[in-house]
Amino acid sequence: MHQDEQKALVAKEAVALMLREISAGEILGIGTGSTVNLFIDALSPYAKHFRGVVSSSEASTARLIEKGFHVFDANEVGNIIAYVDGADEINAQGHMIKGGGGALTREKIVASMAEKFVCICDSSKQVEVLGNFPLPIEVIPLASAHIARTIEQQLGAEVSIRMSKSRPDEKMITDNGGWILDVRGLKIHHPKELEIELNQIPGVICNGIFARNAANVLIVSSQEGVRTIQY
Ligand code: 5RP
């Protein structure tokens, strides 16, 4: 089965879970990425089942509005019943690396507001130890060189600034006006500790380790089909 078909399967399974477990009139949190796009599309016939959604990126917001969802600003809502998002890597504890699409900061904010994190991905994202996927860190642009040097010295890792896909000679600018550093060469054996440590470097807005906001549920697909794992 092709990876896109596997992503479509988890998206469909996540829709079934939402309709089964979430009462009408609740607010959902929505992540960012290709798997989430399929989830948004599959959920759209039921857009009015929910009071609305809180989105984690401008890209998801545009798609959600186009598909008929009411999108709330995060400041307008008190409670988000569940947050659905993809991951770049996930380990057996539900700790993740996220931010491949550069939306990590808003993703972490919305995830932290939600009662439950439902991760949807294909089995290529499941790992024993996080770190093979370059760890994204969103930074204040003027601090980027200092942060890169600090991480290289402290962690012995290789750091690069992410460039724009559409304009490869320009830095990628996030929805928050930040830049993204991608950190290669890590083996993250203690995700909670490293998540906290990275946040201490002045100028770091957010890092892509989601250990303190780990997944509570994983819907994962492989050649054998779809599985749901509760953490
Ligand atoms: C975006 C993310 C995505 O969830 C992550 O990159 C997975 O994306 P995809 O579903 O396209 O594989 O963290 O910032």
Side-chain angles (χ1 to χ4, degrees), residues 3 7 31-36 85-88 97-104 107 120 122 125 133:
Q3 196 181 20
K7 288 181 181 184
T32 298
S34 56
T35 318
V36 165
D85 200 355
D88 298 302
I97 286 185
K98 292 186 44 54
L104 59 153
E107 289 175 342
I120 52 174
D122 65 85
K125 310 289 183 75
F133 189 90

Coordinates of all heavy atoms in Angstrom, one line a residue, residues 3 7 31-36 85-88 97-104 107 120 122 125 133, ligand 1:
Q3 N 2.2 5.1 0.6 CA 2.2 5.9 1.8 C 0.9 6.8 1.9 O 0.3 7.0 2.9 CB 3.4 6.8 2.0 CG 3.7 7.3 3.3 CD 4.9 8.2 3.4 OE1 5.4 8.7 2.4 NE2 5.4 8.4 4.6
K7 N -1.9 7.1 4.7 CA -2.3 8.4 5.4 C -3.9 8.6 5.3 O -4.5 9.0 6.3 CB -1.6 9.6 4.7 CG -0.2 9.7 5.0 CD 0.5 10.9 4.4 CE 2.0 11.0 4.7 NZ 2.6 12.2 4.2
G31 N -4.3 20.0 13.6 CA -2.8 20.2 13.3 C -2.6 20.7 11.9 O -3.4 21.3 11.3
T32 N -1.4 20.3 11.4 CA -0.9 20.8 10.1 C -0.2 19.7 9.4 O 0.5 18.9 10.1 CB 0.1 22.0 10.4 OG1 -0.7 23.0 11.0 CG2 0.6 22.5 9.1
G33 N -0.3 19.6 8.1 CA 0.5 18.7 7.3 C -0.3 17.9 6.4 O -1.6 18.0 6.3
S34 N 0.3 17.0 5.6 CA -0.4 16.3 4.6 C -1.4 15.3 5.1 O -2.5 15.1 4.6 CB 0.6 15.6 3.7 OG 1.4 14.7 4.4
T35 N -1.1 14.6 6.3 CA -2.0 13.7 6.9 C -3.2 14.4 7.5 O -4.4 14.0 7.3 CB -1.3 12.9 8.0 OG1 0.0 12.5 7.5 CG2 -2.1 11.6 8.3
V36 N -3.0 15.5 8.1 CA -4.1 16.3 8.6 C -4.9 16.9 7.5 O -6.2 17.0 7.7 CB -3.5 17.5 9.5 CG1 -4.6 18.5 9.8 CG2 -3.0 16.9 10.8
D85 N -3.3 15.6 15.1 CA -2.2 16.1 14.3 C -1.3 14.9 13.9 O -1.4 13.8 14.5 CB -1.4 17.1 15.1 CG -0.5 18.0 14.3 OD1 -0.4 17.8 13.0 OD2 0.1 18.9 14.8
G86 N -0.5 15.1 12.9 CA 0.5 14.2 12.5 C 1.8 14.3 13.3 O 1.8 15.0 14.3
A87 N 2.8 13.6 12.9 CA 4.1 13.6 13.5 C 5.2 13.3 12.5 O 4.9 12.6 11.5 CB 4.2 12.7 14.7
D88 N 6.4 13.7 12.8 CA 7.5 13.4 12.0 C 8.2 12.1 12.5 O 8.7 11.3 11.7 CB 8.5 14.5 11.9 CG 7.9 15.7 11.2 OD1 7.4 15.6 10.1 OD2 7.7 16.8 11.9
I97 N 8.6 14.0 17.5 CA 9.3 15.1 16.9 C 8.2 15.7 15.9 O 7.6 14.9 15.1 CB 10.6 14.8 16.1 CG1 11.7 14.5 17.1 CG2 11.0 15.9 15.2 CD1 13.0 14.3 16.5
K98 N 8.0 17.0 16.0 CA 7.0 17.6 15.0 C 7.7 18.9 14.5 O 8.7 19.4 15.1 CB 5.7 17.9 15.8 CG 5.0 16.7 16.1 CD 3.6 16.9 16.7 CE 2.8 18.0 16.0 NZ 2.7 17.8 14.5
G99 N 7.1 19.5 13.5 CA 7.6 20.7 13.0 C 8.2 20.6 11.6 O 8.7 21.6 11.1
G100 N 8.0 19.4 11.0 CA 8.5 19.3 9.6 C 7.9 20.3 8.7 O 8.5 20.7 7.7
G101 N 6.7 20.7 9.0 CA 6.0 21.7 8.2 C 6.2 23.2 8.7 O 5.7 24.1 8.2
G102 N 6.9 23.2 9.8 CA 7.3 24.6 10.4 C 6.2 25.1 11.3 O 6.3 26.3 11.7
A103 N 5.2 24.3 11.7 CA 4.1 24.9 12.5 C 4.2 24.5 13.9 O 3.2 24.6 14.7 CB 2.7 24.4 11.9
L104 N 5.4 24.1 14.4 CA 5.5 23.5 15.7 C 5.0 24.4 16.9 O 4.4 23.8 17.8 CB 6.9 23.1 16.0 CG 8.0 24.2 15.9 CD1 9.2 23.8 16.8 CD2 8.5 24.4 14.5
E107 N 1.3 24.4 16.9 CA 0.8 23.1 17.2 C 1.0 22.8 18.7 O 0.1 22.2 19.3 CB 1.7 22.1 16.4 CG 1.4 22.1 14.9 CD 2.3 21.2 14.1 OE1 3.4 20.8 14.5 OE2 1.9 21.0 12.9
I120 N -2.0 11.0 14.2 CA -2.3 10.1 13.1 C -1.1 10.1 12.2 O -0.6 11.1 11.8 CB -3.6 10.7 12.3 CG1 -3.5 12.2 12.0 CG2 -4.8 10.4 13.2 CD1 -4.6 12.7 11.1
D122 N 1.5 7.2 9.4 CA 1.8 5.9 8.9 C 3.0 5.4 9.7 O 3.7 6.1 10.3 CB 2.1 5.9 7.4 CG 3.3 6.7 7.1 OD1 4.4 6.1 7.1 OD2 3.2 7.9 6.8
K125 N 6.8 6.5 10.6 CA 7.1 7.6 11.6 C 7.4 6.9 12.9 O 7.9 7.6 13.8 CB 5.9 8.5 11.8 CG 5.4 9.1 10.5 CD 6.3 10.1 9.8 CE 5.8 10.8 8.6 NZ 4.8 11.8 8.8
F133 N 15.0 12.1 12.3 CA 14.4 13.3 11.7 C 15.0 14.5 12.3 O 15.1 14.7 13.5 CB 12.9 13.3 11.9 CG 12.2 14.3 11.0 CD1 11.7 14.0 9.7 CD2 12.0 15.6 11.5 CE1 11.1 14.9 8.9 CE2 11.4 16.6 10.7 CZ 10.9 16.2 9.4
Ligands
5RP1 C1 4.0 20.2 10.8 C2 4.0 18.9 11.5 C3 3.4 17.7 10.9 O1 2.5 17.1 11.7 C4 4.4 16.7 10.5 O2 5.4 17.3 9.7 C5 3.9 15.5 9.7 O3 3.4 15.9 8.5 P1 2.8 14.9 7.4 O4 1.5 14.5 7.9 O5 2.8 15.8 6.1 O6 3.8 13.8 7.3 O7 4.5 18.8 12.6 O8 4.6 21.2 11.4

